[in-house]
Amino acid sequence: MSAPLRRVQQAPRHLLVCEKGHARHPRSRHAAHVRDHAYNCRVSVLIPECGMLPEVLKSTVADFGVYYLVKNLSVHELVAHEFIDSFVKKGSCYALTYNTKIDQDNTAALLPTGKLILSVDKDTYEELGLQGRPSRYSGKKAMRYIITIDLTDSDFHPDGKKHKRVLWALKEKKPLEFDFLMAWYNTGAEGSTLMSYFPKNQIRALKPKITFSTLRDLQCPALQSNELEGKPEESCSTEELFEWLGAVLNQVNFSYFSEPKLAHWLTLTVHGFADSPVSWRENEHGFHKGGENLYNFVVFRNLDYWLQMAVGTYDDCPP
């Protein structure tokens, strides 16, 4: 059997990182992990043994707000100082190219930290002439490059050489245009809004789709908050729970458990975009065979939690 054929037949690598903590511990990292995973397309909450949705959760879900689809947006408009001053420096601005494939197309993402990430093919990279690095996942012969531009850099000002070069590259030398999904969150700052900043025929406000369902006769695993590895005949391990939860959320008829057990926990699962250029922080993300990057919180009544972070083959280890 040839080596290439062996590689094709091997199952793709998947990485699951687990940690436990307490939500009120001063060194708990749960908020940082949520904040650092910027681009998410689906959030699922599973509450075992719950006949009626709690009002606090219902009101939270109803107040998710809106996000925007901006059509035919040139990337150079994101590095314009009017946009930077209005949105990047006055809140958390998110932008992600829409209907682009990370392993085939040029893509772009604006992180809430003010970092603009471009993932481009070799020809585009050479035409742009901006400094970057080869993709970690393009093999020995680099066919894809990653360019990072810090819009909040003190040297990135309207009269500076750095800004003029970037603007010229993106506007004149190699214009890049995409449809973008965008969101902006600020803390009471006055000024423009995304709807007023872009022409009305270019931007459309969208609301997340929200669905509720009741899973009857669902056999739930027994978990002990201080036992990540579980105990035979007593409690489930974090890996077993993750596999079970994947089956439940994908509506697969699958269960290890011979009898139902009362649950004293709930789960919150967040799926990242399969074609985002990054997963956590600025860690490069690739598609390979699935593009999975997600995290799951298992929260217990005493506010202990398990955090499970999973990525596929073309991804760095979660932080």
Side-chain angles (χ1 to χ4, degrees), residues 13 44 107 128 135 190 216 228 232 266 319:
R13 177 193 73 112
S44 302
T107 64
L128 281 170
S135 167
E190 297 294 330
R216 303 193 182 279
L228 277 175
L266 59 81

Side-chain angles (χ1 to χ4, degrees), residues 193-217:
T193 65
L194 289 173
M195 280 297 291
S196 63
Y197 185 84
F198 294 103
K200 289 185 179 180
N201 62 346
Q202 189 180 11
I203 187 170
R204 181 157 58 103
L206 303 170
K207 286 191 174 182
K209 180 182 177 181
I210 301 172
T211 60
F212 301 96
S213 60
T214 301
L215 305 177
R216 303 193 182 279
D217 301 320

Side-chain angles (χ1 to χ4, degrees), residues 168-182:
W168 171 74
L170 292 171
K171 189 175 183 179
E172 306 291 340
K173 198 163 188 287
K174 179 61 178 177
L176 297 175
E177 184 179 282
F178 305 98
D179 294 345
F180 277 91
L181 294 177
M182 298 187 71

